[in-house]
Amino acid sequence: MTASSGHGHEHAAKAATAGSHAEGQQHPIRIYLVVWFWLFVLSACSYFVDYIHLEGLLRWSLILIFMVLKAGLIVAVFMHMVWERPALSWAILLPPVAVLVFVAIMVIESDYTALTRTVFFSGGG
């Protein structure tokens, strides 16, 4: 066996591996249809919240829950996040979650900040 034929076998093996890897990247259409169905159901639930005239915190909570579920399905399947390595998924998903936590903390602290500013600027502080 010559060196060139050895490289030929390596190249053929790499091509076969790449070909099988490319076939492994294809996902069955059933997954996309199931996700599409659930997106339709969640959208219908979101419109149903308005249709039955829910008001207040319950209305907005349900709309936000349905919105987050739909966004999660889209990110997981249509943006292929479910098939990525966990480290990459955490690197992409953790910063938006941290931003949401910080926004929630600011909303909770907003009443205290408004109160202290009112007291300070009215000459009481």
Side-chain angles (χ1 to χ4, degrees), residues 54-72:
L54 290 178
E55 296 292 330
L57 185 63
L58 178 63
R59 175 180 187 252
W60 289 109
S61 299
L62 287 174
I63 288 174
L64 288 175
I65 287 170
F66 294 141
M67 181 182 70
V68 168
L69 288 175
K70 289 191 299 185

Side-chain angles (χ1 to χ4, degrees), residues 49-116:
V49 168
D50 278 338
Y51 183 75
I52 61 174
H53 301 292
L54 290 178
E55 296 292 330
L57 185 63
L58 178 63
R59 175 180 187 252
W60 289 109
S61 299
L62 287 174
I63 288 174
L64 288 175
I65 287 170
F66 294 141
M67 181 182 70
V68 168
L69 288 175
K70 289 191 299 185
L73 282 173
I74 290 169
V75 168
V77 176
F78 293 114
M79 297 176 74
H80 303 253
M81 193 63 62
V82 73
W83 295 288
E84 294 292 339
R85 290 182 293 167
L88 181 62
S89 298
W90 282 110
I92 292 172
L93 296 177
L94 201 55
V97 171
V99 168
L100 289 176
V101 168
F102 291 134
V103 168
I105 291 170
M106 286 190 292
V107 168
I108 292 169
E109 289 289 321
S110 64
D111 287 337
Y112 175 75
T113 304
L115 176 68
T116 55

Side-chain angles (χ1 to χ4, degrees), residues 26-48:
Q26 295 179 356
H27 309 292
I29 191 77
R30 183 177 184 277
I31 291 173
Y32 295 104
L33 292 175
V34 167
V35 169
W36 178 83
F37 171 77
W38 280 109
L39 289 174
F40 179 79
V41 168
L42 291 171
S43 295
C45 290
S46 182
Y47 290 120
F48 189 70

